[in-house]
Amino acid sequence: MSEDRPASPGQSITADQIKRWGPTWSRRVGRFLARGVWNTRVVGADRMPRSGRLLVAANHTGIIDGPLLHGVIPRESHMIIKEEMFSGVIGFLMRGAGQIPVDRRNGRAALQTALTLLNEDRLVGVFPEGTRGGGDVKQTKAGIAWLAVRSGAPVLPVAILGTRPAGQKPGYIPGFRSRLVVEFGEPFQAVDPGVGVGRSAITEAMGEIQQQLSTHVHAASERHGVALPRSTEI
């Protein structure tokens, strides 16, 4: 029976299925949500290179983090998003928006797709924790490290604050005109190219990304007076 089951979106995704034009319209929707529905302060957008391959790494606490980040990034972006979002009407929109579904148990197809996009000098967004957590980035998954090593793309850390205040449930959606903050950090190389592309390079890149992103998020939280929820949801 299982052999006849079709592959899930995250298992079957390939680079030629990604709508390169999708972010042209979808980031406008995200911008409307960020600026019109919520009161989002964006800091440091000038630190982002406007062209060339780039990995954006953000902390992840709330259900709206993906569309919010997609809307405030000052260039077109392709976000890696859990494949559970790629069903029904939402899934249709996600595909049209040029986003990348990932099977969180086996992300090989999504990573290969993202690598192709990076090699086209595009921007790929990743939530390195792999799921919504406490916001303090205590750990990162190997996927973004693999992409950084294989593509040579710089990593730009992003702090997303206020999308799930402490004590709120997993499906919390901020109310109209809620104060949110997105702060972009400085891009960095996750690993010296001389280290190669093997397991040791990926391990080194994982540690560097975790440290840089965690430091940036904590500093931004203090600067803006927006506390992290600290609790892991799912």
Side-chain angles (χ1 to χ4, degrees):
M1 292 293 291
S2 61
E3 294 181 357
D4 298 328
R5 187 181 304 163
S8 68
Q11 295 168 340
S12 61
I13 189 64
T14 59
D16 60 356
Q17 297 172 8
I18 300 296
K19 307 294 190 295
R20 271 48 170 195
W21 45 262
T24 302
W25 68 267
S26 58
R27 65 190 292 251
R28 296 176 184 172
V29 176
R31 190 183 305 123
F32 168 75
L33 293 172
R35 304 291 196 181
V37 175
W38 302 301
N39 178 20
T40 305
R41 182 182 182 191
V42 180
V43 179
D46 58 319
R47 299 168 186 152
M48 176 174 289
R50 294 303 196 269
S51 62
R53 63 189 65 188
L54 184 67
L55 277 163
V56 166
N59 66 321
H60 193 20
T61 64
I63 195 171
I64 68 163
D65 291 343
L68 178 69
L69 180 60
H70 185 58
V72 301
I73 288 177
R75 56 183 282 195
E76 295 183 352
S77 64
H78 301 272
M79 311 293 291
I80 297 180
I81 299 170
K82 64 180 182 179
E83 66 178 0
E84 289 83 356
M85 298 297 294
F86 287 76
S87 62
V89 175
I90 296 297
F92 174 78
L93 293 173
M94 286 289 203
R95 290 182 178 87
Q99 306 310 292
I100 307 168
V102 61
D103 178 347
R104 291 182 289 179
R105 296 164 299 178
N106 183 355
R108 182 182 299 274
L111 292 176
Q112 291 289 352
T113 298
L115 181 60
T116 297
L117 294 173
L118 288 167
N119 287 338
E120 294 175 4
D121 284 338
R122 298 178 183 274
L123 183 157
V124 172
V126 183
F127 296 106
E129 295 163 282
T131 188
R132 292 191 292 271
D136 47 3
V137 198
K138 290 182 178 178
Q139 64 177 2
T140 62
K141 301 293 185 181
I144 189 171
W146 185 89
L147 287 172
V149 168
R150 290 303 180 105
S151 70
V155 179
L156 189 145
V158 182
I160 302 176
L161 307 171
T163 55
R164 182 170 65 92
Q168 294 295 341
K169 295 181 179 180
Y172 175 80
I173 297 177
F176 182 66
R177 305 305 293 165
S178 291
R179 178 194 175 217
L180 309 177
V181 177
V182 178
E183 180 170 327
F184 297 96
E186 296 285 353
F188 64 92
Q189 289 297 146
V191 68
D192 187 321
V195 176
V197 296
R199 184 173 299 177
S200 62
I202 293 172
T203 299
E204 182 178 329
M206 280 179 64
E208 183 68 11
I209 292 168
Q210 188 275 329
Q211 190 273 328
Q212 292 266 9
L213 180 54
S214 179
T215 297
H216 175 66
V217 169
H218 280 287
S221 175
E222 291 183 7
R223 273 193 294 272
H224 300 287
V226 181
L228 299 170
R230 302 289 182 180
S231 61
T232 300
E233 342 170 9
I234 55 176

